[in-house]
Coordinates of all heavy atoms in Angstrom, one line a residue:
M1 N -1.7 -35.6 10.9 CA -0.7 -36.3 10.2 C 0.2 -37.1 11.1 O 0.7 -36.5 12.1 CB 0.2 -35.2 9.4 CG -0.4 -34.9 8.0 SD 0.8 -34.1 7.0 CE 1.0 -32.5 7.8
S2 N 0.4 -38.3 10.8 CA 1.3 -39.1 11.6 C 2.7 -39.0 11.1 O 2.9 -38.7 9.9 CB 0.8 -40.6 11.6 OG 0.9 -41.1 10.3
A3 N 3.7 -39.4 12.0 CA 5.1 -39.2 11.6 C 5.6 -40.4 10.9 O 6.4 -41.2 11.3 CB 5.9 -38.9 12.8
T4 N 5.0 -40.7 9.7 CA 5.4 -41.8 8.9 C 6.6 -41.5 8.0 O 7.2 -42.4 7.4 CB 4.3 -42.4 8.1 OG1 3.7 -41.3 7.4 CG2 3.2 -43.0 9.0
T5 N 6.9 -40.2 7.8 CA 8.0 -39.9 7.0 C 9.1 -39.2 7.8 O 8.8 -38.6 8.9 CB 7.6 -38.9 5.8 OG1 7.2 -37.7 6.4 CG2 6.5 -39.5 5.0
A6 N 10.3 -39.2 7.3 CA 11.4 -38.5 8.1 C 11.4 -37.0 7.8 O 12.0 -36.3 8.5 CB 12.7 -39.1 7.6
A7 N 10.7 -36.6 6.8 CA 10.7 -35.2 6.4 C 10.1 -34.3 7.5 O 9.1 -34.7 8.1 CB 9.9 -35.0 5.1
T8 N 10.7 -33.2 7.6 CA 10.1 -32.2 8.6 C 9.0 -31.5 7.8 O 8.9 -31.5 6.6 CB 11.2 -31.2 9.0 OG1 11.6 -30.4 7.9 CG2 12.4 -31.9 9.7
L9 N 8.2 -30.7 8.6 CA 7.2 -29.9 8.1 C 7.8 -28.9 7.1 O 7.3 -28.6 6.0 CB 6.5 -29.2 9.2 CG 5.3 -28.2 8.8 CD1 4.2 -29.0 8.1 CD2 4.8 -27.5 10.0
Q10 N 9.0 -28.4 7.5 CA 9.7 -27.4 6.7 C 10.0 -28.0 5.3 O 9.7 -27.4 4.3 CB 10.9 -26.9 7.4 CG 11.7 -25.8 6.7 CD 12.9 -25.4 7.4 OE1 13.5 -26.2 8.2 NE2 13.4 -24.2 7.2
D11 N 10.5 -29.2 5.3 CA 10.9 -29.9 4.1 C 9.6 -30.0 3.2 O 9.6 -29.8 2.0 CB 11.5 -31.2 4.3 CG 12.9 -31.1 4.9 OD1 13.5 -30.1 4.7 OD2 13.3 -32.1 5.6
A12 N 8.5 -30.5 3.8 CA 7.3 -30.8 3.1 C 6.8 -29.5 2.5 O 6.3 -29.5 1.3 CB 6.3 -31.4 4.0
I13 N 6.8 -28.4 3.2 CA 6.2 -27.1 2.7 C 7.1 -26.6 1.6 O 6.6 -26.1 0.6 CB 6.1 -26.1 3.9 CG1 5.0 -26.6 4.8 CG2 5.8 -24.7 3.3 CD1 4.9 -25.7 6.0
L14 N 8.4 -26.7 1.8 CA 9.4 -26.3 0.7 C 9.2 -27.1 -0.5 O 9.2 -26.5 -1.6 CB 10.8 -26.3 1.2 CG 11.2 -25.3 2.2 CD1 12.6 -25.5 2.8 CD2 11.1 -23.9 1.6
D15 N 9.0 -28.4 -0.4 CA 8.7 -29.2 -1.6 C 7.4 -28.7 -2.3 O 7.3 -28.6 -3.5 CB 8.5 -30.7 -1.2 CG 9.9 -31.3 -1.0 OD1 10.9 -30.7 -1.4 OD2 9.9 -32.5 -0.5
A16 N 6.4 -28.5 -1.5 CA 5.1 -28.1 -2.0 C 5.2 -26.8 -2.7 O 4.6 -26.6 -3.8 CB 4.0 -28.1 -0.9
L17 N 5.9 -25.9 -2.1 CA 6.0 -24.5 -2.7 C 6.8 -24.6 -4.0 O 6.5 -23.9 -4.9 CB 6.8 -23.6 -1.7 CG 5.9 -23.0 -0.6 CD1 6.8 -22.3 0.4 CD2 4.9 -22.0 -1.2
S18 N 7.8 -25.4 -4.0 CA 8.6 -25.6 -5.2 C 7.8 -26.1 -6.3 O 7.9 -25.6 -7.5 CB 9.8 -26.6 -4.9 OG 10.5 -26.8 -6.1
D19 N 6.9 -27.1 -6.0 CA 6.0 -27.5 -7.1 C 5.0 -26.4 -7.5 O 4.8 -26.3 -8.7 CB 5.1 -28.7 -6.5 CG 5.9 -30.0 -6.4 OD1 7.0 -30.1 -6.9 OD2 5.3 -31.0 -5.9
A20 N 4.5 -25.7 -6.6 CA 3.5 -24.7 -6.9 C 4.2 -23.6 -7.7 O 3.6 -23.1 -8.7 CB 2.9 -24.1 -5.6
I21 N 5.4 -23.2 -7.3 CA 6.1 -22.1 -8.1 C 6.3 -22.6 -9.5 O 6.1 -21.9 -10.5 CB 7.4 -21.8 -7.4 CG1 7.2 -21.1 -6.1 CG2 8.3 -20.9 -8.3 CD1 8.4 -21.0 -5.1
G22 N 6.8 -23.9 -9.6 CA 7.0 -24.4 -11.0 C 5.8 -24.4 -11.9 O 5.9 -24.0 -13.0
L23 N 4.7 -24.8 -11.3 CA 3.4 -24.8 -12.1 C 3.0 -23.4 -12.5 O 2.6 -23.1 -13.6 CB 2.3 -25.4 -11.3 CG 2.4 -26.9 -11.0 CD1 1.4 -27.4 -10.0 CD2 2.2 -27.7 -12.3
R24 N 3.1 -22.4 -11.6 CA 2.7 -21.1 -11.9 C 3.7 -20.4 -12.9 O 3.3 -19.7 -13.8 CB 2.6 -20.2 -10.6 CG 1.6 -20.7 -9.7 CD 0.2 -20.5 -10.2 NE -0.8 -21.0 -9.2 CZ -2.1 -21.0 -9.4 NH1 -2.6 -20.4 -10.5 NH2 -2.9 -21.5 -8.5
R25 N 5.0 -20.7 -12.7 CA 6.0 -20.1 -13.5 C 5.8 -20.7 -15.0 O 6.1 -20.0 -15.9 CB 7.4 -20.4 -13.0 CG 7.8 -19.5 -11.9 CD 8.2 -18.1 -12.4 NE 8.5 -17.2 -11.3 CZ 8.3 -15.9 -11.3 NH1 7.9 -15.4 -12.4 NH2 8.6 -15.1 -10.3
E26 N 5.5 -21.9 -15.0 CA 5.3 -22.6 -16.3 C 4.3 -21.8 -17.1 O 4.4 -21.6 -18.3 CB 4.9 -24.0 -16.1 CG 5.2 -24.9 -17.2 CD 5.0 -26.4 -16.9 OE1 3.8 -26.8 -16.8 OE2 5.9 -27.1 -16.7
E27 N 3.1 -21.5 -16.5 CA 2.1 -20.8 -17.2 C 2.6 -19.5 -17.8 O 2.3 -19.2 -19.0 CB 1.0 -20.4 -16.2 CG 0.2 -21.6 -15.7 CD -0.6 -22.2 -16.8 OE1 -1.2 -21.5 -17.7 OE2 -0.7 -23.5 -16.8
V28 N 3.4 -18.8 -17.0 CA 4.0 -17.5 -17.5 C 5.1 -17.7 -18.5 O 5.1 -17.0 -19.5 CB 4.5 -16.7 -16.3 CG1 5.2 -15.4 -16.7 CG2 3.3 -16.4 -15.3
D29 N 5.9 -18.7 -18.2 CA 7.1 -18.9 -19.1 C 6.7 -19.3 -20.5 O 7.4 -19.0 -21.5 CB 8.1 -19.9 -18.5 CG 8.8 -19.3 -17.3 OD1 8.8 -18.1 -17.1 OD2 9.4 -20.1 -16.5
F30 N 5.6 -20.1 -20.6 CA 5.2 -20.6 -21.9 C 4.2 -19.7 -22.6 O 3.7 -20.1 -23.7 CB 4.7 -22.0 -21.8 CG 5.8 -23.0 -21.5 CD1 6.0 -23.5 -20.3 CD2 6.6 -23.5 -22.6 CE1 7.0 -24.5 -20.0 CE2 7.6 -24.4 -22.3 CZ 7.8 -24.9 -21.1
C31 N 4.0 -18.5 -22.1 CA 3.0 -17.6 -22.7 C 3.7 -16.5 -23.4 O 4.5 -15.8 -22.8 CB 2.1 -17.1 -21.6 SG 1.0 -15.7 -22.2
R32 N 3.4 -16.3 -24.7 CA 4.1 -15.3 -25.5 C 3.7 -13.9 -24.9 O 4.5 -13.0 -24.9 CB 3.7 -15.4 -26.9 CG 4.6 -14.6 -27.8 CD 4.2 -14.7 -29.3 NE 4.1 -16.1 -29.7 CZ 3.4 -16.5 -30.8 NH1 2.8 -15.6 -31.5 NH2 3.4 -17.8 -31.1
G33 N 2.4 -13.8 -24.6 CA 1.9 -12.5 -24.0 C 2.7 -12.1 -22.8 O 3.1 -10.9 -22.6
C34 N 3.0 -13.0 -21.9 CA 3.7 -12.8 -20.7 C 5.2 -12.4 -21.0 O 5.7 -11.4 -20.5 CB 3.7 -14.0 -19.8 SG 2.1 -14.4 -19.0
R35 N 5.7 -13.1 -21.9 CA 7.2 -12.9 -22.3 C 7.3 -11.5 -22.9 O 8.4 -10.9 -22.7 CB 7.7 -14.0 -23.2 CG 8.0 -15.3 -22.5 CD 9.0 -16.1 -23.3 NE 8.5 -16.3 -24.7 CZ 7.8 -17.4 -25.1 NH1 7.5 -18.4 -24.2 NH2 7.4 -17.6 -26.3
N36 N 6.3 -11.1 -23.6 CA 6.4 -9.8 -24.3 C 6.0 -8.6 -23.5 O 6.1 -7.4 -23.9 CB 5.6 -9.8 -25.6 CG 6.3 -10.7 -26.6 OD1 7.5 -11.0 -26.6 ND2 5.5 -11.2 -27.5
S37 N 5.5 -8.9 -22.3 CA 5.0 -7.8 -21.4 C 6.1 -7.2 -20.5 O 6.9 -8.0 -19.9 CB 3.9 -8.3 -20.5 OG 3.6 -7.4 -19.5
P38 N 6.2 -5.9 -20.5 CA 7.2 -5.3 -19.6 C 6.9 -5.6 -18.1 O 7.8 -5.6 -17.3 CB 7.0 -3.8 -19.8 CG 6.1 -3.6 -21.0 CD 5.4 -4.9 -21.2
A39 N 5.7 -5.9 -17.8 CA 5.3 -6.2 -16.4 C 5.7 -7.6 -16.0 O 5.7 -8.0 -14.9 CB 3.8 -6.0 -16.2
G40 N 6.0 -8.4 -17.1 CA 6.4 -9.8 -16.8 C 5.3 -10.8 -16.9 O 5.5 -12.0 -16.7
H41 N 4.1 -10.2 -17.2 CA 2.9 -11.1 -17.3 C 1.8 -10.4 -18.1 O 1.8 -9.2 -18.2 CB 2.3 -11.5 -16.0 CG 1.8 -10.3 -15.2 ND1 0.6 -9.7 -15.4 CD2 2.4 -9.6 -14.2 CE1 0.5 -8.7 -14.6 NE2 1.6 -8.6 -13.9
C42 N 1.0 -11.2 -18.8 CA -0.1 -10.7 -19.5 C -1.3 -10.6 -18.6 O -1.3 -11.1 -17.4 CB -0.5 -11.5 -20.7 SG -1.1 -13.2 -20.3
A43 N -2.4 -10.1 -19.1 CA -3.6 -9.9 -18.2 C -4.2 -11.2 -17.7 O -4.6 -11.4 -16.6 CB -4.7 -9.1 -19.0
E44 N -4.1 -12.2 -18.6 CA -4.7 -13.5 -18.3 C -3.9 -14.2 -17.2 O -4.4 -15.0 -16.4 CB -4.6 -14.4 -19.6 CG -5.4 -15.7 -19.5 CD -5.2 -16.6 -20.7 OE1 -4.8 -16.1 -21.7 OE2 -5.3 -17.8 -20.5
H45 N -2.6 -14.0 -17.2 CA -1.7 -14.7 -16.2 C -1.3 -13.9 -15.0 O -0.3 -14.2 -14.4 CB -0.5 -15.3 -17.0 CG -0.9 -16.4 -17.9 ND1 -0.6 -16.3 -19.2 CD2 -1.6 -17.5 -17.7 CE1 -1.1 -17.4 -19.8 NE2 -1.7 -18.2 -18.9
E46 N -1.9 -12.8 -14.8 CA -1.6 -11.9 -13.7 C -1.6 -12.6 -12.4 O -0.7 -12.5 -11.6 CB -2.5 -10.7 -13.6 CG -2.1 -9.7 -12.5 CD -3.0 -8.4 -12.6 OE1 -3.9 -8.4 -13.4 OE2 -2.7 -7.5 -11.8
R47 N -2.6 -13.5 -12.2 CA -2.8 -14.2 -11.0 C -1.7 -15.2 -10.8 O -1.1 -15.4 -9.7 CB -4.1 -14.8 -10.9 CG -4.3 -15.6 -9.6 CD -5.8 -15.8 -9.2 NE -5.9 -16.7 -8.1 CZ -5.7 -16.4 -6.9 NH1 -5.4 -15.2 -6.5 NH2 -5.9 -17.3 -5.9
D48 N -1.3 -15.9 -11.9 CA -0.3 -16.9 -11.9 C 1.0 -16.3 -11.5 O 1.8 -16.8 -10.6 CB -0.1 -17.6 -13.2 CG -1.3 -18.5 -13.5 OD1 -1.6 -19.3 -12.7 OD2 -1.8 -18.3 -14.6
Y49 N 1.3 -15.1 -12.1 CA 2.5 -14.4 -11.8 C 2.6 -13.9 -10.4 O 3.6 -14.1 -9.7 CB 2.6 -13.2 -12.8 CG 3.8 -12.3 -12.6 CD1 5.0 -12.7 -13.2 CD2 3.8 -11.2 -11.8 CE1 6.2 -11.9 -13.1 CE2 5.0 -10.4 -11.6 CZ 6.1 -10.8 -12.2 OH 7.3 -10.0 -12.1
E50 N 1.5 -13.4 -9.9 CA 1.5 -12.8 -8.5 C 1.6 -14.0 -7.5 O 2.3 -13.8 -6.5 CB 0.2 -12.1 -8.3 CG 0.2 -10.7 -8.9 CD -1.1 -9.9 -8.7 OE1 -2.1 -10.5 -8.3 OE2 -1.1 -8.7 -9.1
L51 N 1.0 -15.1 -7.8 CA 1.1 -16.2 -6.9 C 2.5 -16.8 -6.9 O 3.0 -17.1 -5.8 CB 0.1 -17.3 -7.3 CG -1.4 -17.1 -6.9 CD1 -2.3 -18.1 -7.5 CD2 -1.5 -17.1 -5.3
A52 N 3.1 -16.8 -8.0 CA 4.5 -17.3 -8.1 C 5.4 -16.4 -7.3 O 6.2 -16.9 -6.5 CB 5.0 -17.3 -9.6
V53 N 5.2 -15.1 -7.4 CA 6.0 -14.2 -6.6 C 5.7 -14.4 -5.1 O 6.6 -14.4 -4.3 CB 5.7 -12.7 -7.0 CG1 6.3 -11.7 -6.0 CG2 6.2 -12.5 -8.4
A54 N 4.5 -14.6 -4.7 CA 4.1 -14.7 -3.3 C 4.7 -16.1 -2.8 O 5.2 -16.1 -1.7 CB 2.6 -14.7 -3.2
Y55 N 4.6 -17.1 -3.6 CA 5.2 -18.4 -3.2 C 6.7 -18.3 -3.0 O 7.2 -18.9 -2.1 CB 4.9 -19.5 -4.2 CG 3.4 -19.8 -4.4 CD1 2.9 -20.5 -5.5 CD2 2.5 -19.5 -3.4 CE1 1.6 -20.8 -5.7 CE2 1.1 -19.9 -3.5 CZ 0.7 -20.5 -4.7 OH -0.6 -20.9 -4.8
E56 N 7.3 -17.6 -3.9 CA 8.8 -17.4 -3.8 C 9.2 -16.7 -2.5 O 10.1 -17.0 -1.9 CB 9.3 -16.7 -5.0 CG 9.4 -17.7 -6.2 CD 9.5 -17.0 -7.6 OE1 9.5 -15.7 -7.6 OE2 9.5 -17.6 -8.6
E57 N 8.4 -15.7 -2.2 CA 8.6 -14.9 -0.9 C 8.4 -15.9 0.3 O 9.2 -15.9 1.2 CB 7.6 -13.7 -0.9 CG 7.6 -13.1 0.5 CD 8.9 -12.4 0.9 OE1 9.8 -12.2 0.0 OE2 9.1 -12.1 2.1
A58 N 7.3 -16.7 0.2 CA 7.1 -17.6 1.3 C 8.2 -18.6 1.4 O 8.6 -19.0 2.5 CB 5.7 -18.3 1.0
E59 N 8.7 -19.1 0.2 CA 9.8 -20.1 0.2 C 11.0 -19.5 0.9 O 11.6 -20.2 1.7 CB 10.1 -20.4 -1.2 CG 11.1 -21.6 -1.4 CD 11.4 -21.9 -2.8 OE1 11.6 -20.9 -3.6 OE2 11.5 -23.0 -3.2
R60 N 11.3 -18.3 0.6 CA 12.5 -17.6 1.2 C 12.3 -17.6 2.7 O 13.2 -17.9 3.5 CB 12.6 -16.2 0.7 CG 13.5 -16.1 -0.5 CD 13.9 -14.6 -0.8 NE 12.7 -13.8 -1.1 CZ 12.2 -13.7 -2.3 NH1 12.7 -14.4 -3.3 NH2 11.1 -12.9 -2.5
R61 N 11.1 -17.2 3.2 CA 10.9 -17.1 4.6 C 10.9 -18.4 5.3 O 11.5 -18.6 6.4 CB 9.5 -16.4 4.9 CG 9.5 -15.0 4.4 CD 8.2 -14.4 4.7 NE 8.0 -14.2 6.2 CZ 6.9 -13.9 6.8 NH1 5.8 -13.6 6.1 NH2 6.9 -13.8 8.1
I62 N 10.3 -19.4 4.7 CA 10.3 -20.8 5.3 C 11.6 -21.4 5.3 O 12.0 -22.1 6.2 CB 9.2 -21.6 4.6 CG1 7.8 -21.0 5.1 CG2 9.3 -23.1 5.0 CD1 6.6 -21.7 4.4
R63 N 12.4 -21.2 4.2 CA 13.7 -21.7 4.1 C 14.6 -21.1 5.3 O 15.5 -21.8 5.8 CB 14.4 -21.4 2.8 CG 15.6 -22.3 2.4 CD 16.1 -22.0 1.1 NE 15.2 -22.3 0.0 CZ 15.0 -23.5 -0.5 NH1 15.6 -24.5 0.1 NH2 14.2 -23.8 -1.5
A64 N 14.3 -19.9 5.6 CA 15.1 -19.2 6.6 C 14.7 -19.6 8.1 O 15.4 -19.3 9.0 CB 15.0 -17.7 6.5
A65 N 13.6 -20.3 8.2 CA 13.1 -20.7 9.5 C 14.0 -21.7 10.1 O 14.6 -22.6 9.4 CB 11.7 -21.3 9.4
G66 N 14.2 -21.6 11.4 CA 15.1 -22.5 12.1 C 14.5 -23.8 12.5 O 15.2 -24.8 12.8
S67 N 13.2 -23.8 12.6 CA 12.5 -25.0 13.2 C 11.1 -25.1 12.6 O 10.6 -24.1 12.1 CB 12.5 -25.0 14.7 OG 11.6 -23.9 15.1
D68 N 10.5 -26.3 12.8 CA 9.1 -26.4 12.4 C 8.2 -25.4 13.2 O 7.2 -25.0 12.7 CB 8.6 -27.8 12.6 CG 9.0 -28.8 11.5 OD1 9.7 -28.3 10.6 OD2 8.6 -29.9 11.5
E69 N 8.6 -25.1 14.4 CA 7.8 -24.1 15.2 C 7.8 -22.7 14.5 O 6.8 -22.1 14.4 CB 8.4 -24.0 16.6 CG 7.6 -24.6 17.6 CD 8.2 -24.5 19.0 OE1 8.8 -23.4 19.3 OE2 8.1 -25.4 19.8
D70 N 9.0 -22.4 14.0 CA 9.1 -21.1 13.2 C 8.2 -21.2 12.0 O 7.6 -20.2 11.6 CB 10.6 -20.9 12.8 CG 11.4 -20.5 14.0 OD1 10.9 -20.2 15.1 OD2 12.7 -20.6 13.9
V71 N 8.2 -22.3 11.3 CA 7.4 -22.5 10.1 C 6.0 -22.3 10.4 O 5.2 -21.6 9.7 CB 7.7 -23.9 9.5 CG1 6.7 -24.2 8.4 CG2 9.1 -24.0 9.0
L72 N 5.5 -22.9 11.5 CA 4.1 -22.8 11.9 C 3.8 -21.3 12.2 O 2.7 -20.8 11.9 CB 3.8 -23.6 13.1 CG 3.8 -25.1 12.8 CD1 3.7 -25.9 14.1 CD2 2.6 -25.5 11.9
A73 N 4.7 -20.6 12.8 CA 4.5 -19.2 13.1 C 4.3 -18.4 11.8 O 3.4 -17.6 11.7 CB 5.6 -18.6 14.0
I74 N 5.2 -18.7 10.9 CA 5.1 -18.0 9.6 C 3.8 -18.4 8.9 O 3.1 -17.5 8.3 CB 6.3 -18.4 8.7 CG1 7.6 -17.9 9.3 CG2 6.1 -17.9 7.3 CD1 8.8 -18.5 8.7
A75 N 3.4 -19.7 8.9 CA 2.2 -20.1 8.3 C 1.0 -19.5 8.9 O 0.0 -19.1 8.3 CB 2.1 -21.6 8.3
G76 N 1.0 -19.3 10.2 CA -0.1 -18.7 11.0 C -0.3 -17.2 10.5 O -1.4 -16.8 10.3
E77 N 0.8 -16.5 10.4 CA 0.8 -15.1 9.9 C 0.2 -15.1 8.5 O -0.7 -14.3 8.2 CB 2.2 -14.6 9.8 CG 2.8 -14.0 11.0 CD 4.2 -13.5 10.8 OE1 4.4 -12.8 9.8 OE2 5.1 -13.9 11.6
A78 N 0.6 -16.0 7.6 CA 0.2 -16.0 6.2 C -1.3 -16.2 6.2 O -2.0 -15.6 5.4 CB 0.9 -17.0 5.4
A79 N -1.8 -17.2 7.0 CA -3.2 -17.5 7.1 C -4.0 -16.3 7.5 O -5.1 -16.0 7.0 CB -3.5 -18.6 8.0
L80 N -3.5 -15.5 8.4 CA -4.2 -14.3 8.9 C -4.3 -13.3 7.7 O -5.3 -12.6 7.5 CB -3.5 -13.7 10.1 CG -3.7 -14.4 11.4 CD1 -2.8 -13.7 12.5 CD2 -5.1 -14.4 11.8
V81 N -3.2 -13.1 7.0 CA -3.1 -12.2 5.9 C -4.1 -12.5 4.8 O -4.8 -11.7 4.3 CB -1.7 -12.1 5.3 CG1 -1.7 -11.3 4.0 CG2 -0.7 -11.5 6.3
R82 N -4.2 -13.8 4.6 CA -5.1 -14.3 3.5 C -6.6 -14.3 3.9 O -7.5 -14.5 3.1 CB -4.7 -15.7 3.1 CG -3.5 -15.7 2.2 CD -3.2 -17.2 1.7 NE -4.4 -17.8 1.3 CZ -4.7 -19.1 1.5 NH1 -3.8 -19.8 2.2 NH2 -5.8 -19.6 1.1
G83 N -6.9 -14.1 5.2 CA -8.2 -14.2 5.7 C -8.7 -15.5 6.1 O -9.8 -15.7 6.7
G84 N -7.8 -16.5 6.0 CA -8.1 -17.9 6.5 C -9.3 -18.6 5.9 O -10.4 -18.1 5.9
G85 N -9.0 -19.8 5.3 CA -10.1 -20.5 4.7 C -10.8 -21.4 5.7 O -12.0 -21.6 5.6
G86 N -10.1 -21.8 6.8 CA -10.7 -22.6 7.8 C -11.2 -23.9 7.4 O -12.3 -24.4 7.7
Q87 N -10.3 -24.7 6.7 CA -10.7 -26.0 6.3 C -10.0 -27.0 7.3 O -8.9 -26.8 7.7 CB -10.2 -26.3 4.9 CG -8.7 -26.0 4.6 CD -8.2 -26.7 3.4 OE1 -7.2 -27.2 3.4 NE2 -9.0 -26.6 2.3
K88 N -10.8 -28.0 7.7 CA -10.1 -29.0 8.6 C -11.0 -30.3 8.6 O -12.2 -30.1 8.6 CB -10.0 -28.4 10.0 CG -9.1 -29.3 10.9 CD -8.3 -28.5 11.9 CE -7.0 -28.0 11.5 NZ -6.3 -27.2 12.4
Ligands
ZN101 ZN1 0.3 -14.9 -20.2

């Protein structure tokens, strides 16, 4: 990626996470089964719910990062936890 924008990596990731959280939350928020479930989600939207929670946790951690270097360290940890897709 070339530096054609002023946004930092941290800003870009936070924007992306915000979008992703919104999309996943929308699935859950507009589902009657989810709204009526004590667990906060129905069986169909369990993954949407879990991803939204995971993204929100990531958002908190990345927002707390002091620099893009910290962000990369956090992202590296997350990739290890997920097993790493290895796309490039
Ligand atoms: Zn649902």
Side-chain angles (χ1 to χ4, degrees):
M1 273 196 289
S2 60
T4 51
T5 69
T8 63
L9 180 63
Q10 185 180 24
D11 289 337
I13 291 175
L14 286 173
D15 281 348
L17 279 171
S18 175
D19 283 352
I21 290 165
L23 289 170
R24 298 292 176 178
R25 281 286 175 205
E26 205 173 70
E27 291 293 321
V28 174
D29 288 347
F30 286 101
C31 170
R32 192 181 308 162
C34 289
R35 282 201 305 267
N36 291 335
S37 165
H41 61 80
C42 68
E44 190 189 337
H45 292 122
E46 182 174 5
R47 182 160 169 76
D48 291 308
Y49 180 85
E50 285 177 350
L51 282 172
V53 170
Y55 293 162
E56 283 161 1
E57 168 66 15
E59 187 184 40
R60 269 193 298 277
R61 295 185 64 190
I62 289 174
R63 198 178 293 284
S67 67
D68 278 2
E69 252 178 36
D70 290 345
V71 170
L72 287 172
I74 293 167
E77 276 178 47
L80 285 176
V81 170
R82 284 183 43 218
Q87 52 164 225
K88 192 148 269 177

